[in-house]
Amino acid sequence: MAPMVVTMSDKAVVLLLLVALLPLGALGSRSGPSAHHGHAGHGPKHLSPPSATPATPAPAAAPAAAALVRSTCNSTTYYDLCVSALGADPSSATADVRGLSSIAVSAAATNASGGAATAAALANGTAAASNAQAAPATADPAVQALLRTCAAKYGQARDALSAARESIAAQDYDFANVHVSAAAEYPQVCKALFRRQRPGQYPAELAAREEALRQLCSVANDIIALLANSSS
């Protein structure tokens, strides 16, 4: 028998028959990466947004401010009054010793303004006296004149304290001390006039204002002395 000669066309026919007999799944697996793989490898990635990290709050300055108020007031004659007066002003939370001295002077000035208003109201009969004996006395023209003098003296105390604040701002602590000391003296003129001209008729409201102002001025001058000593 003569040997069989396989031509190129015969090989092509055989190859086509083999391809036809292969399963369709096998053809799909060889055609390239699966749709799932393509989606995972090349599709858009949906990342969850990063969680916001809360900002770390700054350390509270209140303890340090309170410590400065206490240490400053330890150098004054009236510690409790000092702490109360300085703590009542929110600016004491960020104030240095010079700022605290200005706050103390402002507290004294507020008292002086109240004293002037109280004396004027008593002189005009628009404020009731604290005791029954003093009430009729305010209708006395001489007492009314004294009360108007008291109102003027408390006004001068307020003005002196305003000048003290300006001296503190200029770091002129000697003049600040002089102004505060003068402010404490003005209401005492009122008391002295009542003692000489109308003994026993000095209104209790003004007596309380005078004592409070004296103590507040003492606190202010004690703090001013701290400033003067630290700057010398």
Side-chain angles (χ1 to χ4, degrees):
M1 179 181 296
M4 181 181 295
V5 178
V6 180
T7 65
M8 289 299 296
S9 60
D10 294 335
K11 291 181 179 180
V13 172
V14 172
L15 181 59
L16 289 174
L17 289 174
L18 289 175
V19 171
L21 293 176
L22 286 174
L24 292 176
L27 289 174
S29 64
R30 294 175 181 269
S31 62
S34 64
H36 176 74
H37 176 74
H39 175 76
H42 302 284
K45 297 181 179 180
H46 301 284
L47 299 177
S48 59
S51 58
T53 303
T56 303
L68 180 60
V69 167
R70 289 194 299 270
S71 65
T72 301
C73 289
N74 272 330
S75 299
T76 67
T77 305
Y78 302 99
Y79 174 84
D80 291 338
L81 176 63
C82 176
V83 171
S84 175
L86 297 184
D89 192 320
S91 64
S92 64
T94 56
D96 55 8
V97 176
R98 183 154 65 106
L100 293 179
S101 71
S102 184
I103 292 171
V105 170
S106 294
T110 298
N111 177 279
S113 293
T118 298
L122 288 171
N124 296 329
T126 57
S130 61
N131 59 72
Q133 292 182 346
T138 58
D140 183 344
V143 171
Q144 290 178 335
L146 289 176
L147 289 171
R148 284 191 289 271
T149 299
C150 291
K153 292 302 177 183
Y154 275 98
Q156 290 173 326
R158 178 194 57 224
D159 294 343
L161 292 165
S162 177
R165 280 198 303 267
E166 294 176 0
S167 296
I168 291 171
Q171 301 184 37
D172 192 344
Y173 303 127
D174 289 337
F175 271 109
N177 177 273
V178 169
H179 290 310
V180 173
S181 298
E185 293 290 334
Y186 282 121
Q188 296 185 22
V189 174
C190 173
K191 178 172 66 176
L193 289 174
F194 263 95
R195 282 180 175 175
R196 287 202 304 265
Q197 299 182 27
R198 288 294 187 272
Q201 294 184 24
Y202 185 45
E205 297 90 342
L206 293 183
R209 288 281 184 181
E210 177 196 345
E211 178 59 18
L213 181 59
R214 184 186 69 80
Q215 294 185 11
L216 286 168
C217 287
S218 173
V219 167
N221 265 340
D222 287 341
I223 301 176
I224 290 170
L226 281 178
L227 289 170
N229 292 334
S230 63
S231 62
S232 60

